Amino acid sequence: MRVHVVSDVHGNSEALARAGEGADALVVLGDLIDFIDYHDHTSGIFGRLFGAERVGTFARLRREGTRTEIGAYVRSLWDSLDDPASAIDAAIREQYDRLFAALSAPTYAIPGNVDAPALWAEYAADGLHLVDGQVVELGGLRFGFVGGALLPDGMSPRPNAVWRPHLLSTEKYDRTVAELRDVDVLCSHIPPAVPDLTYDVVSRRLEIGSRSLLDLVRTQQPRWSLFGHVHQPLARRLRVGVTECRNVGHFQRTTTPYVLRW
């Protein structure tokens, strides 16, 4: 078997259309949407709606500002639009139209934190398997899938937010992980909670990893734990016991899938 795995596509539909070439299946670990493009401030949904200069300001605040400063700035951007909810919905659907059309069959996909999974059912197609929270057998191996990312401790979703990332409470996320049993390949958007896997060397901060994923790796000892989310990790791979933990890469930039063979 040969399976190609990608994560953090962030709008790169051209590369996504080639990602499954030569593979028996394609696995997508989330973040299809290009919401804020830190490499090209004119691109992404923010770039199109607000322009490169404002995206640059947001990027600086994300590096140097407080959560309060970032929140106030984002609210000021939404307030500058006549109908921000409609603008966001149209921009997301425009990207999803291209991205889902680019997927080859069969594809097994889960959402990341920069996704709108409530819309995914609208893109149902033959050969597209939406597998968040499921265990699927491929080539004799059991693949367990869990999408989304974790809310920071002490935070809750804003009830009337224009854009709400796909962030889950620790309790809800852990319940999904607990349902994944006898897994040979663990597929998630975020990494297990290991500092070398969660630290981003460019943003110079620890992203949030999952302790329940790490517990599953230690107890079930799958062959592989595959994930993305951290674009420039301190370590792209390491072993936890017998499990090969692997960040499959920032596909928007690398355009190269991680190849899994057995």
Side-chain angles (χ1 to χ4, degrees):
M1 286 288 292
R2 178 184 174 112
V3 171
H4 290 181
V5 188
V6 302
S7 185
D8 301 273
V9 176
H10 293 302
N12 194 340
S13 56
E14 292 183 5
L16 186 61
R18 302 188 298 269
E21 292 178 355
D24 297 298
L26 174 65
V27 170
V28 179
L29 300 182
D31 276 10
L32 292 178
I33 294 174
D34 188 18
F35 197 76
I36 299 173
D37 197 317
Y38 294 99
H39 297 276
D40 179 3
H41 292 174
T42 65
S43 189
I45 291 175
F46 252 43
R48 288 190 56 191
L49 292 179
F50 304 116
E53 183 176 348
R54 288 177 171 177
V55 173
T57 299
F58 176 85
R60 178 182 58 78
L61 287 174
R62 192 168 183 267
R63 291 191 307 270
E64 305 169 2
T66 65
R67 287 180 180 172
T68 299
E69 291 172 325
I70 294 169
Y73 184 69
V74 170
R75 286 191 294 273
S76 74
L77 295 180
W78 296 135
D79 289 343
S80 71
L81 300 177
D82 292 333
D83 189 349
S86 294
I88 284 291
D89 183 71
I92 289 173
R93 289 175 185 274
E94 181 183 349
Q95 288 198 18
Y96 275 164
D97 287 347
R98 292 186 288 103
L99 290 158
F100 279 102
L103 294 173
S104 56
T107 290
Y108 299 83
I110 57 174
N113 57 296
V114 189
D115 273 311
L119 298 180
W120 281 31
E122 299 179 21
Y123 296 90
D126 290 342
L128 172 60
H129 306 276
L130 307 179
V131 289
D132 193 4
Q134 298 180 26
V135 176
V136 176
E137 185 171 315
L138 292 175
L141 297 185
R142 287 171 59 82
F143 281 65
F145 295 91
V146 54
L150 290 170
L151 277 166
D153 290 338
M155 289 190 65
S156 57
R158 296 179 61 86
N160 299 313
V162 176
W163 159 251
R164 184 179 295 176
H166 186 45
L167 300 177
L168 307 171
S169 68
T170 300
E171 292 76 15
K172 183 174 182 179
Y173 191 92
D174 290 354
R175 284 196 301 270
T176 301
V177 175
E179 294 298 316
L180 306 180
R181 297 186 177 92
D182 301 321
V183 170
D184 299 303
V185 185
L186 176 60
C187 296
S188 56
H189 180 64
I190 63 174
V194 178
D196 283 2
L197 299 176
T198 60
Y199 186 77
D200 191 302
V201 298
V202 174
S203 65
R204 293 181 292 179
R205 69 177 193 173
L206 285 167
E207 299 289 347
I208 300 175
S210 167
R211 294 176 183 175
S212 61
L213 289 176
L214 181 58
D215 289 342
L216 186 153
V217 166
R218 286 172 170 165
T219 57
Q220 297 191 31
Q221 301 182 46
R223 295 190 191 184
W224 293 282
S225 170
L226 306 177
F227 48 85
H229 186 57
V230 183
H231 290 183
Q232 298 90 198
L234 180 62
R236 294 198 175 277
R237 59 171 297 272
L238 58 77
R239 282 195 173 268
V240 175
V242 301
T243 302
E244 174 80 3
C245 299
R246 178 71 188 219
N247 186 316
V248 301
H250 182 190
F251 184 73
Q252 182 206 43
R253 308 300 296 175
T254 69
T255 71
T256 303
Y258 179 68
V259 178
L260 202 62
R261 295 186 180 92
W262 69 96

